[in-house]
Amino acid sequence: MSRVSGKMAALQEMLSGLSDAQKAELGKALEASDSLNEEDALVLSLLRREMVGKKKREHRDRVIQGFCDPFEDLLTDRDPDVKEPARISRKSIRPVWNWLREVGGEDHSRVCLRYEEALEYGPPEEAEKARAALWRAAVRLTEDKLEEAFADKQAGQALAKHLGGTRRLEDIREMLVLVAIAPEIEALKMAIAPAPALTLTRDQASLILEAYHRIAEQRPGHESWLIIAMMRRLLHEADILKVVRSLCRDGQDTLASLTDLAIVGDEILNDLDRYATDMEAACGTEGGAAEIVKLTREFSEAYLAVVESLDIKREGSWGQRMLETKRRVSAAIDNGLLRSARRDIFTALKSRKVQSGRTMVSKADLREDPDMDAYEFAEARAMAIRDVARLGERIGVNAAIQAVTKDIVDEIHLYSDSLLSQITNVPDEYIARARSHVIMIARLMELLAGPDPAETFLKRAMRRIDEASS
């Protein structure tokens, strides 16, 4: 190894321990110096080489990002064994880009270089033109090969193997459909920004409709994917049904489900299904009850957005799917919240068994102070039941919740009657403890039965306590 190359290796090792900020600061200091020794010159040379390489990588990444812009809202970190429709795995980007470079050859390289140069030197409008040229080239270079892959089983298997599996092949088909209508998508993204958009306004819906009809004329079969791309920008994806309703006579789901818009409705219903799946997974886990309340709230918003936007027919395919999803949601609420509700709440209410004639009966127990940890847990559970009951009433899954709530409330009333009957007969030192029990029961009553029964009980109990302590 020569003396210079040995120094280079040592300096490279030294520079590898510096952060990017430290390297930038060192580079500025060396460039500002009027006289550099041999070692300084080597360091500056290495830093410049690294910065050029880094800039090239940044430009290359921005070119890939430009290619991905039309489908960025469909990208997901998930990469399931079975491809999720209208969801594109981020793991598909690199294999697809490498294949695009391979089939595009010099043509693709020229387009990418033009885009890189526009990003570096050109005004923003030049970069926009170069990005549009990249999209056009990607479609032109791959469209025939993709059509062949999906028309010919052998060609499809070969391309899937080359890309890394059928998921990659299915992802690239969705990518290229969206890239083919990229200018329309990008124009709408400017109007519906930032993502996720809280609402879809009437003006925004009108813009989507106009673009939909233009694409239907220019690229038939691609127009529904415009709806999908815009749907993914919304916080509540079911809001996109405001557009679907305008495209379907009388807003009927049976019509929408039989047209090319079926993929839009299917994806919205798939999202409803995911709520049910997540609720099922939360059952029996720590914090599962709180998660079920949260998911029930989100599900109810999405569910109501669907039924308020379309005339859902019970006998239609979408109507049947929604009934099944509601059944799963109701079962998850039952399994994850209701079945343990009585135990969770009454653990906080101290009771004891006493002989009454030939039988043993349960009575309130004032011999111990309330267990505040158990009470806080019971209060949280009662709040969860109350919140889910309100939500369930809105989406029609409330029957089981009402039945469980009624049983618990009836038992609390029995417990409170037992407590009232004992207050006048307890020792003086139990009076303060009785107040704590009364306040706790009144709060649970308020959550599960409403403020009126709770207030009535509280007044009766406090009057009884005042009488006992006077």
Side-chain angles (χ1 to χ4, degrees):
M1 180 183 292
S2 69
R3 183 175 64 85
V4 173
S5 60
K7 275 191 175 182
M8 291 277 280
L11 291 172
Q12 283 175 329
E13 184 177 355
M14 180 271 292
L15 290 175
S16 67
L18 300 180
S19 66
D20 289 344
Q22 289 171 325
K23 290 176 185 177
E25 188 176 345
L26 177 59
K28 287 180 181 178
L30 292 174
E31 286 180 340
S33 175
D34 293 332
S35 59
L36 297 176
N37 59 32
E38 180 186 4
E39 191 172 279
D40 290 340
L42 283 173
V43 170
L44 184 58
S45 174
L46 288 171
L47 286 172
R48 283 172 173 166
R49 190 184 307 172
E50 183 175 325
M51 292 305 294
V52 168
K54 183 179 179 183
K55 187 169 285 190
K56 285 183 178 179
R57 287 194 300 274
E58 287 175 351
H59 285 160
R60 189 161 55 244
D61 290 343
R62 288 185 67 187
V63 170
I64 296 173
Q65 177 60 55
F67 168 73
C68 296
D69 283 343
F71 53 86
E72 65 175 340
D73 293 315
L74 278 71
L75 291 174
T76 176
D77 293 329
R78 296 194 299 271
D79 191 29
D81 292 336
V82 178
K83 154 78 175 168
E84 293 180 321
R87 298 278 185 185
I88 296 171
S89 173
R90 294 185 187 277
K91 291 185 177 179
S92 293
I93 294 174
R94 184 59 62 177
V96 167
W97 182 254
N98 290 340
W99 178 69
L100 187 55
R101 290 173 58 194
E102 179 184 323
V103 300
E106 291 185 6
D107 192 353
H108 181 259
S109 296
R110 279 195 299 272
V111 173
C112 289
L113 181 59
R114 180 186 166 196
Y115 188 22
E116 285 183 26
E117 291 174 345
L119 288 169
E120 174 70 10
Y121 305 111
E125 54 268 24
E126 285 300 316
E128 288 298 308
K129 289 179 183 178
R131 184 175 61 153
L134 174 67
W135 294 329
R136 290 194 298 272
V139 174
R140 185 181 71 251
L141 294 167
T142 62
E143 206 163 26
D144 291 343
K145 290 179 173 58
L146 282 177
E147 284 184 10
E148 180 186 4
F150 283 96
D152 181 82
K153 183 178 179 180
Q154 191 171 358
Q157 289 175 339
L159 182 54
K161 183 177 180 180
H162 184 68
L163 289 170
T166 56
R167 283 172 295 174
R168 307 293 170 242
L169 181 58
E170 291 168 349
D171 274 348
I172 193 175
R173 177 162 64 173
E174 292 185 0
M175 288 181 188
L176 268 296
V177 166
L178 293 163
V179 167
I181 57 172
E184 294 281 12
I185 291 174
E186 291 304 300
L188 286 172
K189 281 164 65 175
M190 296 296 289
I192 307 175
L198 297 178
T199 58
L200 182 68
T201 67
R202 182 178 298 179
D203 289 343
Q204 290 168 340
S206 296
L207 290 174
I208 295 173
L209 277 172
E210 291 169 7
Y212 175 93
H213 290 302
R214 285 195 297 270
I215 293 171
E217 291 180 4
Q218 298 164 8
R219 275 193 169 269
H222 287 56
E223 61 270 25
S224 291
W225 284 93
L226 176 80
I227 306 292
I228 288 287
M230 294 304 104
M231 178 183 80
R232 294 294 189 224
R233 289 192 74 74
L234 303 176
L235 179 63
H236 303 298
E237 294 188 350
D239 284 348
I240 200 66
L241 291 175
K242 295 173 184 177
V243 179
V244 175
R245 184 180 181 87
S246 299
L247 293 166
C248 298
R249 186 177 70 253
D250 300 326
Q252 291 183 14
D253 72 311
T254 49
L255 291 175
S257 65
L258 295 174
T259 68
D260 61 344
L261 293 168
I263 187 173
V264 180
D266 286 344
E267 271 310 291
I268 289 172
L269 297 188
N270 286 342
D271 286 339
L272 291 181
D273 289 341
R274 290 186 189 103
Y275 282 118
T277 300
D278 291 345
M279 289 172 72
E280 289 164 349
C283 292
T285 64
E286 185 177 352
E291 182 68 8
I292 285 173
V293 175
K294 170 180 167 290
L295 291 169
T296 303
R297 182 175 293 109
E298 294 173 1
F299 172 81
S300 68
E301 291 173 355
Y303 179 89
L304 290 172
V306 175
V307 298
E308 289 170 2
S309 298
L310 287 180
D311 180 16
I312 301 293
K313 303 296 183 184
R314 186 183 182 91
E315 68 277 6
S317 60
W318 287 0
Q320 289 297 305
R321 279 192 63 183
M322 290 179 74
L323 282 174
E324 172 59 18
T325 303
K326 281 206 304 179
R327 184 199 64 76
R328 291 176 59 198
V329 166
S330 181
I333 292 171
D334 184 42
N335 292 332
L337 181 63
L338 300 182
R339 290 189 182 181
S340 62
R342 186 201 170 282
R343 180 197 64 213
D344 294 338
I345 289 172
F346 279 91
T347 297
L349 304 182
K350 302 294 183 181
S351 61
R352 58 192 176 94
K353 298 290 185 181
V354 297
Q355 189 79 32
S356 178
R358 295 183 177 181
T359 60
M360 298 293 290
V361 296
S362 180
K363 286 195 171 186
D365 189 355
L366 295 178
R367 293 174 300 177
E368 296 181 27
D369 289 322
D371 182 337
M372 294 311 296
D373 289 338
Y375 165 63
E376 288 174 4
F377 186 76
E379 183 185 34
R381 185 63 78 248
M383 290 176 67
I385 294 171
R386 179 202 60 186
D387 292 345
V388 167
R390 291 172 178 173
L391 296 167
E393 190 172 359
R394 297 175 67 199
I395 58 178
V397 295
N398 203 34
I401 304 170
Q402 285 181 330
V404 170
T405 303
K406 183 180 182 303
D407 288 344
I408 294 174
V409 168
D410 287 346
E411 196 160 349
I412 288 177
H413 281 309
L414 290 174
Y415 184 92
S416 65
D417 288 343
S418 169
L419 181 65
L420 288 172
S421 69
Q422 294 182 66
I423 287 176
T424 54
N425 300 316
V426 297
D428 292 342
E429 62 267 24
Y430 283 18
I431 294 299
R433 187 178 296 150
R435 290 181 189 275
S436 299
H437 282 274
V438 164
I439 292 170
M440 182 174 69
I441 294 167
R443 174 59 175 159
L444 295 175
M445 268 192 192
E446 179 186 10
L447 291 170
L448 296 172
D452 291 343
E455 186 176 359
T456 299
F457 163 74
L458 187 60
K459 286 180 178 178
R460 288 178 61 200
M462 288 305 181
R463 186 164 54 247
R464 191 75 60 90
I465 289 173
D466 290 342
E467 291 171 355
S469 59
S470 59

